[in-house]
Protein backbone atom coordinates (compact mmCIF):
# COMPACT_ATOMS: atom_id res chain seq x y z
CA UNK A 1 0.00 0.00 0.00
CA UNK A 2 0.98 3.64 -0.31
CA UNK A 3 2.28 5.63 2.58
CA UNK A 4 3.76 9.09 2.64
CA UNK A 5 5.12 9.00 6.17
CA UNK A 6 6.73 6.51 8.54
CA UNK A 7 4.30 3.72 9.46
CA UNK A 8 3.78 2.73 13.07
CA UNK A 9 4.26 -0.93 12.20
CA UNK A 10 7.57 -0.50 10.39
CA UNK A 11 9.54 -2.41 12.99
CA UNK A 12 7.47 -5.53 12.26
CA UNK A 13 9.11 -5.77 8.85
CA UNK A 14 12.51 -6.49 10.35
CA UNK A 15 13.99 -9.93 10.93
CA UNK A 16 14.51 -11.33 14.40
CA UNK A 17 18.08 -10.12 14.20
CA UNK A 18 16.90 -6.55 14.16
CA UNK A 19 15.33 -7.00 17.55
CA UNK A 20 18.81 -6.70 19.02
CA UNK A 21 19.81 -3.61 17.10
CA UNK A 22 19.25 -1.18 19.94
CA UNK A 23 22.02 -2.90 21.88
CA UNK A 24 24.52 -1.95 19.23
CA UNK A 25 26.37 1.03 17.85
CA UNK A 26 28.01 1.00 14.44
CA UNK A 27 27.76 -2.78 14.38
CA UNK A 28 28.46 -4.04 17.92
CA UNK A 29 29.27 -2.62 21.34
CA UNK A 30 31.58 -3.77 24.08
CA UNK A 31 30.54 -1.63 27.01
CA UNK A 32 27.41 -0.98 29.02
CA UNK A 33 26.48 2.27 27.33
CA UNK A 34 22.93 2.12 25.95
CA UNK A 35 22.01 2.91 22.38
CA UNK A 36 19.93 5.80 23.72
CA UNK A 37 23.07 7.27 25.25
CA UNK A 38 25.09 6.68 22.09
CA UNK A 39 22.54 8.42 19.92
CA UNK A 40 22.40 11.28 22.44
CA UNK A 41 26.20 11.54 22.29
CA UNK A 42 26.20 12.23 18.56
CA UNK A 43 26.95 15.97 18.31
CA UNK A 44 24.20 18.29 17.18
CA UNK A 45 24.67 19.60 13.67
CA UNK A 46 23.45 22.75 12.00
CA UNK A 47 20.73 22.41 9.37
CA UNK A 48 22.32 22.70 5.93
CA UNK A 49 21.03 22.01 2.44
CA UNK A 50 21.46 18.33 1.50
CA UNK A 51 23.15 19.26 -1.78
CA UNK A 52 25.39 21.99 -3.13
CA UNK A 53 23.52 24.73 -4.95
CA UNK A 54 20.32 24.41 -2.92
CA UNK A 55 19.32 27.22 -0.61
CA UNK A 56 18.32 26.34 2.92
CA UNK A 57 15.98 28.86 4.51
CA UNK A 58 14.88 27.50 7.84
CA UNK A 59 11.49 28.68 9.06
CA UNK A 60 10.07 29.24 5.58
CA UNK A 61 7.58 26.41 4.94
CA UNK A 62 7.18 25.45 1.28
CA UNK A 63 3.83 26.06 -0.38
CA UNK A 64 2.05 25.13 -3.55
CA UNK A 65 1.72 21.87 -5.47
CA UNK A 66 3.96 19.11 -4.07
CA UNK A 67 6.73 17.60 -6.15
CA UNK A 68 5.98 13.89 -5.78
CA UNK A 69 8.71 11.26 -5.93
CA UNK A 70 7.44 7.68 -6.16
CA UNK A 71 9.24 4.46 -5.36
CA UNK A 72 8.91 0.73 -4.77
CA UNK A 73 10.69 -0.74 -1.74
CA UNK A 74 10.80 -4.07 0.08
CA UNK A 75 8.99 -3.16 3.28
CA UNK A 76 8.12 -6.83 3.87
CA UNK A 77 9.73 -10.13 2.85
CA UNK A 78 13.37 -11.26 3.06
CA UNK A 79 14.77 -7.93 1.83
CA UNK A 80 12.84 -5.84 4.36
CA UNK A 81 15.66 -5.60 6.96
CA UNK A 82 17.48 -3.39 4.45
CA UNK A 83 14.59 -2.07 2.34
CA UNK A 84 13.04 -0.37 5.35
CA UNK A 85 16.26 1.58 5.91
CA UNK A 86 15.94 3.07 2.43
CA UNK A 87 12.37 4.09 3.18
CA UNK A 88 13.55 5.74 6.38
CA UNK A 89 16.13 7.76 4.45
CA UNK A 90 13.49 8.81 1.92
CA UNK A 91 11.26 10.12 4.68
CA UNK A 92 14.18 11.94 6.27
CA UNK A 93 15.28 13.57 3.01
CA UNK A 94 11.78 14.81 2.28
CA UNK A 95 11.56 16.39 5.74
CA UNK A 96 15.07 17.79 5.31
CA UNK A 97 14.30 19.46 1.98
CA UNK A 98 11.01 20.85 3.28
CA UNK A 99 12.72 22.16 6.44
CA UNK A 100 15.02 24.07 4.09
CA UNK A 101 12.05 25.63 2.26
CA UNK A 102 11.42 23.01 -0.43
CA UNK A 103 12.46 23.09 -4.09
CA UNK A 104 11.65 26.38 -5.78
CA UNK A 105 9.42 26.98 -2.76
CA UNK A 106 7.38 23.82 -3.41
CA UNK A 107 7.18 20.94 -0.93
CA UNK A 108 8.67 17.52 -1.68
CA UNK A 109 6.52 14.41 -1.14
CA UNK A 110 7.45 10.69 -1.02
CA UNK A 111 5.00 8.03 -2.22
CA UNK A 112 6.15 4.43 -1.74
CA UNK A 113 4.58 1.03 -2.47
CA UNK A 114 5.68 -2.21 -0.78
CA UNK A 115 6.96 -4.72 -3.35
CA UNK A 116 7.15 -7.53 -0.77
CA UNK A 117 10.68 -8.42 -1.96
CA UNK A 118 9.22 -9.71 -5.25
CA UNK A 119 10.70 -8.39 -8.55
CA UNK A 120 7.46 -8.90 -10.52
CA UNK A 121 5.68 -6.67 -8.04
CA UNK A 122 8.34 -4.00 -8.52
CA UNK A 123 7.41 -3.75 -12.20
CA UNK A 124 3.72 -3.28 -11.50
CA UNK A 125 4.47 -0.81 -8.70
CA UNK A 126 6.35 1.53 -11.05
CA UNK A 127 3.66 1.16 -13.70
CA UNK A 128 1.14 2.23 -11.07
CA UNK A 129 3.23 5.16 -9.89
CA UNK A 130 3.80 6.38 -13.44
CA UNK A 131 0.08 5.97 -14.14
CA UNK A 132 -0.58 8.14 -11.10
CA UNK A 133 1.70 10.75 -12.73
CA UNK A 134 4.30 11.10 -9.99
CA UNK A 135 6.81 13.76 -10.95
CA UNK A 136 9.94 11.65 -10.40
CA UNK A 137 10.88 8.20 -9.19
CA UNK A 138 13.53 6.71 -6.92
CA UNK A 139 14.91 3.25 -7.58
CA UNK A 140 14.15 0.20 -5.38
CA UNK A 141 16.44 -1.91 -3.20
CA UNK A 142 18.44 -4.74 -4.79
CA UNK A 143 19.74 -5.67 -8.22
CA UNK A 144 16.81 -7.86 -9.26
CA UNK A 145 14.35 -5.17 -8.19
CA UNK A 146 16.28 -2.47 -10.03
CA UNK A 147 16.16 -4.44 -13.26
CA UNK A 148 12.45 -5.17 -12.76
CA UNK A 149 11.66 -1.47 -12.41
CA UNK A 150 13.89 -0.32 -15.25
CA UNK A 151 11.48 -1.26 -18.05
CA UNK A 152 8.48 0.88 -17.15
CA UNK A 153 10.62 3.72 -15.82
CA UNK A 154 12.77 3.90 -18.95
CA UNK A 155 9.84 3.60 -21.34
CA UNK A 156 8.11 6.49 -19.57
CA UNK A 157 11.22 8.69 -19.89
CA UNK A 158 11.87 9.09 -16.17
CA UNK A 159 15.28 9.58 -14.57
CA UNK A 160 16.17 6.44 -12.59
CA UNK A 161 18.50 7.11 -9.63
CA UNK A 162 19.42 3.94 -7.74
CA UNK A 163 21.14 3.22 -4.44
CA UNK A 164 21.88 -0.50 -4.66
CA UNK A 165 21.80 -1.82 -8.22
CA UNK A 166 23.86 -4.99 -7.99
CA UNK A 167 23.48 -5.98 -11.64
CA UNK A 168 25.63 -3.34 -13.36
CA UNK A 169 26.28 -5.62 -16.34
CA UNK A 170 22.58 -5.53 -17.31
CA UNK A 171 22.01 -2.44 -19.46
CA UNK A 172 19.38 0.01 -18.23
CA UNK A 173 20.13 3.14 -20.23
CA UNK A 174 21.14 6.77 -20.19
CA UNK A 175 18.42 7.52 -17.63
CA UNK A 176 20.15 5.35 -15.00
CA UNK A 177 22.10 7.18 -12.28
CA UNK A 178 23.65 4.81 -9.72
CA UNK A 179 24.89 6.01 -6.35
CA UNK A 180 26.61 2.70 -5.54
CA UNK A 181 29.08 2.80 -8.40
CA UNK A 182 30.68 -0.46 -9.45
CA UNK A 183 33.07 -1.22 -12.22
CA UNK A 184 34.92 1.66 -13.74
CA UNK A 185 35.41 -0.54 -16.83
CA UNK A 186 33.77 -0.71 -20.25
CA UNK A 187 33.37 -4.51 -20.41
CA UNK A 188 29.98 -5.44 -18.91
CA UNK A 189 31.27 -8.95 -18.15
CA UNK A 190 33.89 -7.49 -15.82
CA UNK A 191 31.88 -4.92 -13.89
CA UNK A 192 32.66 -6.50 -10.52
CA UNK A 193 36.39 -6.94 -11.12
CA UNK A 194 37.36 -3.61 -9.56
CA UNK A 195 35.34 -4.37 -6.42
CA UNK A 196 36.96 -7.81 -6.15
CA UNK A 197 40.40 -6.29 -6.63
CA UNK A 198 39.70 -3.84 -3.80
CA UNK A 199 38.99 -6.75 -1.46
CA UNK A 200 42.11 -8.58 -2.63
CA UNK A 201 44.24 -5.44 -2.16
CA UNK A 202 42.87 -5.06 1.38
CA UNK A 203 43.72 -8.66 2.27
CA UNK A 204 47.19 -8.38 0.76
CA UNK A 205 47.83 -5.14 2.66
CA UNK A 206 47.84 -7.24 5.84
CA UNK A 207 50.93 -9.09 4.66
CA UNK A 208 49.11 -12.35 5.34
CA UNK A 209 46.50 -12.98 2.62
CA UNK A 210 44.36 -16.12 2.90
CA UNK A 211 45.79 -19.37 1.61
CA UNK A 212 42.34 -20.97 1.49
CA UNK A 213 38.75 -19.75 1.20
CA UNK A 214 35.21 -21.13 1.29
CA UNK A 215 32.35 -19.42 -0.58
CA UNK A 216 28.67 -19.57 0.38
CA UNK A 217 26.47 -17.34 -1.78
CA UNK A 218 22.79 -16.46 -1.99
CA UNK A 219 21.14 -16.93 -5.37
CA UNK A 220 20.76 -13.22 -6.03
CA UNK A 221 22.14 -11.18 -8.98
CA UNK A 222 24.43 -8.98 -6.88
CA UNK A 223 25.91 -11.70 -4.74
CA UNK A 224 26.43 -14.20 -7.56
CA UNK A 225 28.13 -11.71 -9.88
CA UNK A 226 30.41 -10.37 -7.16
CA UNK A 227 31.25 -13.89 -5.97
CA UNK A 228 32.45 -14.84 -9.46
CA UNK A 229 34.88 -11.93 -9.61
CA UNK A 230 36.21 -12.56 -6.09
CA UNK A 231 36.78 -16.26 -6.81
CA UNK A 232 38.80 -15.34 -9.90
CA UNK A 233 40.79 -12.67 -8.03
CA UNK A 234 41.67 -14.94 -5.10
CA UNK A 235 42.55 -17.90 -7.31
CA UNK A 236 44.75 -15.61 -9.37
CA UNK A 237 46.56 -14.61 -6.18
CA UNK A 238 47.14 -18.25 -5.21
CA UNK A 239 44.27 -18.84 -2.78
CA UNK A 240 42.84 -22.37 -2.79
CA UNK A 241 39.03 -22.48 -2.99
CA UNK A 242 37.99 -25.23 -0.55
CA UNK A 243 34.26 -25.00 -1.29
CA UNK A 244 31.75 -22.98 -3.29
CA UNK A 245 28.03 -23.43 -2.58
CA UNK A 246 24.90 -21.50 -3.49
CA UNK A 247 21.74 -21.31 -1.41
CA UNK A 248 18.21 -20.04 -2.06
CA UNK A 249 17.27 -16.47 -1.18
CA UNK A 250 15.44 -16.51 2.14
CA UNK A 251 17.27 -19.56 3.51
CA UNK A 252 17.31 -19.63 7.32
CA UNK A 253 18.80 -23.08 8.04
CA UNK A 254 22.56 -22.91 7.40
CA UNK A 255 23.44 -26.08 9.34
CA UNK A 256 24.70 -28.09 6.36
CA UNK A 257 26.73 -25.14 5.05
CA UNK A 258 28.21 -24.55 8.51
CA UNK A 259 29.32 -28.19 8.73
CA UNK A 260 30.97 -28.00 5.31
CA UNK A 261 32.81 -24.85 6.36
CA UNK A 262 33.91 -26.49 9.61
CA UNK A 263 35.28 -29.50 7.73
CA UNK A 264 37.20 -27.26 5.32
CA UNK A 265 38.31 -24.84 8.08
CA UNK A 266 39.48 -22.21 5.57
CA UNK A 267 41.48 -19.10 6.32
CA UNK A 268 38.62 -17.00 4.92
CA UNK A 269 34.87 -17.60 4.83
CA UNK A 270 33.24 -15.53 2.10
CA UNK A 271 29.50 -15.13 2.68
CA UNK A 272 27.78 -13.72 -0.37
CA UNK A 273 24.79 -13.00 1.82
CA UNK A 274 22.14 -10.32 2.24
CA UNK A 275 19.70 -9.37 4.97
CA UNK A 276 19.91 -11.63 8.03
CA UNK A 277 21.98 -14.39 6.37
CA UNK A 278 25.02 -13.70 8.52
CA UNK A 279 22.98 -13.99 11.73
CA UNK A 280 21.55 -17.32 10.61
CA UNK A 281 24.98 -18.64 9.60
CA UNK A 282 26.42 -17.78 13.01
CA UNK A 283 23.53 -19.54 14.71
CA UNK A 284 24.55 -22.64 12.77
CA UNK A 285 28.20 -22.11 13.76
CA UNK A 286 27.20 -21.86 17.41
CA UNK A 287 25.24 -25.11 17.18
CA UNK A 288 28.37 -27.02 16.13
CA UNK A 289 30.86 -25.04 18.22
CA UNK A 290 32.77 -23.58 15.28
CA UNK A 291 34.35 -20.14 14.94
CA UNK A 292 35.62 -19.03 11.52
CA UNK A 293 39.22 -17.88 11.25
CA UNK A 294 38.04 -14.81 9.35
CA UNK A 295 34.91 -13.83 7.46
CA UNK A 296 33.85 -11.36 4.79
CA UNK A 297 30.14 -10.63 4.23
CA UNK A 298 28.93 -8.94 1.07
CA UNK A 299 25.59 -7.24 1.81
CA UNK A 300 24.39 -7.83 5.37
CA UNK A 301 21.60 -5.83 6.95
CA UNK A 302 23.17 -3.57 9.59
CA UNK A 303 20.98 -5.04 12.33
CA UNK A 304 22.09 -8.55 11.39
CA UNK A 305 25.69 -7.65 12.13
CA UNK A 306 24.63 -5.90 15.32
CA UNK A 307 22.81 -9.02 16.50
CA UNK A 308 26.10 -10.94 16.61
CA UNK A 309 27.56 -8.92 19.48
CA UNK A 310 31.23 -9.66 20.09
CA UNK A 311 31.23 -12.40 17.45
CA UNK A 312 31.22 -9.68 14.77
CA UNK A 313 34.57 -8.26 15.88
CA UNK A 314 37.04 -8.58 13.01
CA UNK A 315 34.31 -9.21 10.43
CA UNK A 316 34.97 -7.61 7.04
CA UNK A 317 32.02 -6.13 5.15
CA UNK A 318 31.47 -4.70 1.69
CA UNK A 319 30.95 -0.97 1.97
CA UNK A 320 30.97 2.36 0.24
CA UNK A 321 30.64 4.44 3.41
CA UNK A 322 31.07 4.24 7.16
CA UNK A 323 30.74 7.12 9.58
CA UNK A 324 34.41 7.96 9.97
CA UNK A 325 36.57 10.80 8.61
CA UNK A 326 37.17 11.92 5.96
CA UNK A 327 33.81 10.97 4.40
CA UNK A 328 31.87 11.46 7.63
CA UNK A 329 33.46 14.81 8.43
CA UNK A 330 31.44 17.23 6.29
CA UNK A 331 28.50 19.49 7.25
CA UNK A 332 26.05 17.36 5.25
CA UNK A 333 27.37 14.09 6.66
CA UNK A 334 27.27 15.40 10.23
CA UNK A 335 23.69 16.60 9.87
CA UNK A 336 22.63 13.31 8.28
CA UNK A 337 24.32 11.28 11.02
CA UNK A 338 22.44 13.09 13.77
CA UNK A 339 19.08 13.29 12.01
CA UNK A 340 19.10 9.68 10.83
CA UNK A 341 20.12 8.28 14.19
CA UNK A 342 17.25 10.04 15.92
CA UNK A 343 14.48 9.10 13.49
CA UNK A 344 15.70 5.53 12.95
CA UNK A 345 15.88 4.91 16.68
CA UNK A 346 12.36 6.26 17.10
CA UNK A 347 11.12 3.84 14.41
CA UNK A 348 12.99 0.83 15.84
CA UNK A 349 15.51 0.63 13.01
CA UNK A 350 19.28 0.37 13.14
CA UNK A 351 20.04 3.88 14.42
CA UNK A 352 23.53 4.52 13.01
CA UNK A 353 24.63 5.56 9.54
CA UNK A 354 26.47 2.94 7.51
CA UNK A 355 26.81 2.05 3.84
CA UNK A 356 23.14 1.33 3.03
CA UNK A 357 21.84 4.53 4.57
CA UNK A 358 24.62 6.54 2.93
CA UNK A 359 24.00 4.97 -0.49
CA UNK A 360 20.34 5.86 -0.16
CA UNK A 361 21.13 9.48 0.70
CA UNK A 362 23.55 9.64 -2.24
CA UNK A 363 20.81 8.49 -4.64
CA UNK A 364 18.56 11.24 -3.36
CA UNK A 365 21.41 13.75 -3.70
CA UNK A 366 21.76 12.72 -7.34
CA UNK A 367 18.06 13.27 -8.00
CA UNK A 368 17.87 16.53 -6.05
CA UNK A 369 20.94 17.91 -7.81
CA UNK A 370 19.46 17.07 -11.18
CA UNK A 371 16.18 18.75 -10.22
CA UNK A 372 17.92 21.85 -8.83
CA UNK A 373 20.39 22.28 -11.68
CA UNK A 374 18.50 20.84 -14.63
CA UNK A 375 14.93 21.77 -13.81
CA UNK A 376 11.75 20.04 -12.73
CA UNK A 377 11.48 17.93 -15.86
CA UNK A 378 12.76 14.38 -16.28
CA UNK A 379 14.31 14.96 -19.70
CA UNK A 380 16.19 17.99 -18.39
CA UNK A 381 17.34 16.10 -15.29
CA UNK A 382 18.61 13.20 -17.42
CA UNK A 383 20.49 15.55 -19.76
CA UNK A 384 22.08 17.52 -16.93
CA UNK A 385 23.21 14.48 -14.95
CA UNK A 386 24.74 12.84 -18.01
CA UNK A 387 26.89 15.94 -18.53
CA UNK A 388 28.01 16.68 -14.96
CA UNK A 389 29.52 15.26 -11.79
CA UNK A 390 27.55 15.19 -8.55
CA UNK A 391 28.94 15.65 -5.06
CA UNK A 392 27.43 13.13 -2.65
CA UNK A 393 28.08 11.83 0.84
CA UNK A 394 29.87 8.79 -0.62
CA UNK A 395 32.09 10.86 -2.91
CA UNK A 396 32.00 12.72 -6.23
CA UNK A 397 30.18 10.63 -8.82
CA UNK A 398 30.02 10.77 -12.60
CA UNK A 399 28.01 8.79 -15.11
CA UNK A 400 30.48 8.32 -17.96
CA UNK A 401 30.84 4.53 -18.21
CA UNK A 402 28.83 1.50 -19.26
CA UNK A 403 25.31 1.59 -17.84
CA UNK A 404 26.16 5.08 -16.56
CA UNK A 405 28.60 3.80 -13.93
CA UNK A 406 31.64 6.00 -13.48
CA UNK A 407 34.44 5.21 -11.04
CA UNK A 408 34.39 2.24 -8.67
CA UNK A 409 33.75 3.40 -5.10
CA UNK A 410 33.56 0.01 -3.40
CA UNK A 411 35.45 -0.16 -0.14
CA UNK A 412 36.09 -2.61 2.69
CA UNK A 413 34.84 -2.06 6.23
CA UNK A 414 35.70 -4.02 9.35
CA UNK A 415 34.17 -4.25 12.81
CA UNK A 416 36.90 -3.16 15.20
CA UNK A 417 36.43 -2.74 18.95
CA UNK A 418 32.69 -2.51 18.52
CA UNK A 419 32.55 -0.11 15.57
CA UNK A 420 32.26 -0.42 11.80
CA UNK A 421 35.09 1.50 10.17
CA UNK A 422 36.48 1.71 6.64
CA UNK A 423 39.87 0.01 6.36
CA UNK A 424 40.48 0.12 2.59
CA UNK A 425 41.39 1.98 0.40
CA UNK A 426 43.74 4.11 2.45
CA UNK A 427 42.38 7.47 1.24
CA UNK A 428 39.04 6.89 3.00
CA UNK A 429 40.17 4.58 5.79
CA UNK A 430 39.56 5.34 9.44
CA UNK A 431 41.78 2.46 10.62
CA UNK A 432 44.16 -0.19 9.33
CA UNK A 433 42.85 -3.65 8.48
CA UNK A 434 43.36 -6.07 11.37
CA UNK A 435 43.69 -9.43 9.59
CA UNK A 436 45.55 -12.49 10.83
CA UNK A 437 43.60 -15.73 10.18
Amino acid sequence: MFHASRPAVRGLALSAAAGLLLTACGGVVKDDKSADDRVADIPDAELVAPIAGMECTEGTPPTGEPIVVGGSLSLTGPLAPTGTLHDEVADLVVDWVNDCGGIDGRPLEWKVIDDQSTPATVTSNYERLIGDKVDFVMGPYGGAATLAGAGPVTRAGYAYPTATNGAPDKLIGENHFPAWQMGGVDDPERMFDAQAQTLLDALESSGNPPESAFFATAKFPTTLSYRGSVVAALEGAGTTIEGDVEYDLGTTDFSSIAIRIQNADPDLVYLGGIGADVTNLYQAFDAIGYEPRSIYVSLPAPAAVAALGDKADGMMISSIYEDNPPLGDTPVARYFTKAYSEVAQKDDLFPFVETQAAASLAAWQILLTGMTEGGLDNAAVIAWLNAHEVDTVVGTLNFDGFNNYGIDINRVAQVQDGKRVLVWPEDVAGAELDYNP
Side-chain angles (χ1 to χ4, degrees), residues 6 28 37 43 59 80 85 92-93 152 174 178 186 191-192 201 227 263 277 291 307 336 346 350-351 395 414 435:
R6 289 178 284 276
V28 295
D37 290 338
L85 297 181
L92 186 155
V93 170
E174 291 300 303
D186 292 328
M191 292 297 287
F192 281 85
D201 289 346
R227 182 277 310 271
N263 290 337
D277 288 355
E291 182 177 347
F336 182 57
K346 179 181 177 182
F350 186 78
Q414 187 176 41
Y435 182 76

Side-chain angles (χ1 to χ4, degrees), residues 200-266:
L200 178 61
D201 289 346
L203 294 170
E204 291 186 335
S205 74
S206 71
N208 188 31
E211 295 183 3
S212 59
F214 190 106
F215 285 74
T217 310
K219 295 177 182 178
F220 190 73
T222 312
T223 52
L224 291 173
S225 296
Y226 184 25
R227 182 277 310 271
S229 291
V230 176
V231 167
L234 289 182
E235 284 186 325
T239 302
T240 300
I241 308 303
E242 299 288 354
D244 191 354
V245 300
E246 298 177 9
Y247 58 87
D248 292 331
L249 182 66
T251 292
T252 57
D253 183 358
F254 283 78
S255 55
S256 62
I257 295 176
I259 291 171
R260 291 187 60 176
I261 293 173
Q262 181 186 45
N263 290 337
D265 195 26

Side-chain angles (χ1 to χ4, degrees), residues 136-159:
F136 296 93
V137 299
M138 177 58 60
Y141 168 67
T146 298
L147 293 175
V153 171
T154 302
R155 286 192 297 271
Y158 278 64

Side-chain angles (χ1 to χ4, degrees), residues 258-335:
I259 291 171
R260 291 187 60 176
I261 293 173
Q262 181 186 45
N263 290 337
D265 195 26
D267 289 338
L268 174 67
V269 173
Y270 178 101
L271 179 63
I274 59 178
D277 288 355
V278 68
T279 307
N280 294 322
L281 177 61
Y282 267 82
Q283 288 175 347
F285 283 155
D286 289 345
I288 61 176
Y290 179 72
E291 182 177 347
R293 298 171 183 263
S294 68
I295 186 167
Y296 175 89
V297 188
S298 61
L299 295 170
V305 177
L308 297 176
D310 288 350
K311 293 184 180 69
D313 211 40
M315 178 181 292
M316 294 171 287
I317 306 167
S318 64
S319 181
I320 61 171
Y321 180 94
E322 303 296 336
D323 195 18
N324 60 255
L327 293 178
D329 192 23
T330 69
V332 170
R334 288 192 292 270
Y335 180 84

Side-chain angles (χ1 to χ4, degrees), residues 299-391:
L299 295 170
V305 177
L308 297 176
D310 288 350
K311 293 184 180 69
D313 211 40
M315 178 181 292
M316 294 171 287
I317 306 167
S318 64
S319 181
I320 61 171
Y321 180 94
E322 303 296 336
D323 195 18
N324 60 255
L327 293 178
D329 192 23
T330 69
V332 170
R334 288 192 292 270
Y335 180 84
F336 182 57
T337 294
K338 183 64 173 179
Y340 179 82
S341 295
E342 291 178 346
V343 297
Q345 184 184 44
K346 179 181 177 182
D347 289 342
D348 293 332
L349 293 178
F350 186 78
F352 303 97
V353 173
E354 44 62 65
T355 196
Q356 290 288 342
S360 194
L361 172 60
W364 278 93
Q365 289 176 309
I366 291 169
L367 179 60
L368 293 173
T369 301
M371 293 162 62
T372 300
E373 300 292 342
L376 298 179
D377 172 79
N378 276 282
V381 168
I382 292 169
W384 192 91
L385 290 174
N386 275 311
H388 296 85
E389 295 182 335
V390 177
D391 290 329

Side-chain angles (χ1 to χ4, degrees), residues 147-215:
L147 293 175
V153 171
T154 302
R155 286 192 297 271
Y158 278 64
Y160 197 34
T162 62
T164 59
N165 179 19
D169 55 322
K170 304 297 190 294
L171 184 62
I172 293 176
E174 291 300 303
N175 66 320
H176 177 223
F177 302 103
W180 193 318
Q181 299 226 344
M182 307 178 194
V185 297
D186 292 328
D187 183 353
E189 299 300 319
R190 305 191 64 181
M191 292 297 287
F192 281 85
D193 284 6
Q195 184 176 5
Q197 186 63 47
T198 296
L199 173 58
L200 178 61
D201 289 346
L203 294 170
E204 291 186 335
S205 74
S206 71
N208 188 31
E211 295 183 3
S212 59
F214 190 106
F215 285 74

Side-chain angles (χ1 to χ4, degrees), residues 49-72:
I51 60 168
M54 177 184 286
E55 293 185 3
C56 187
T57 307
E58 190 172 7
T60 306
T63 59
E65 190 72 19
I67 300 167
V68 182
V69 180
S72 175

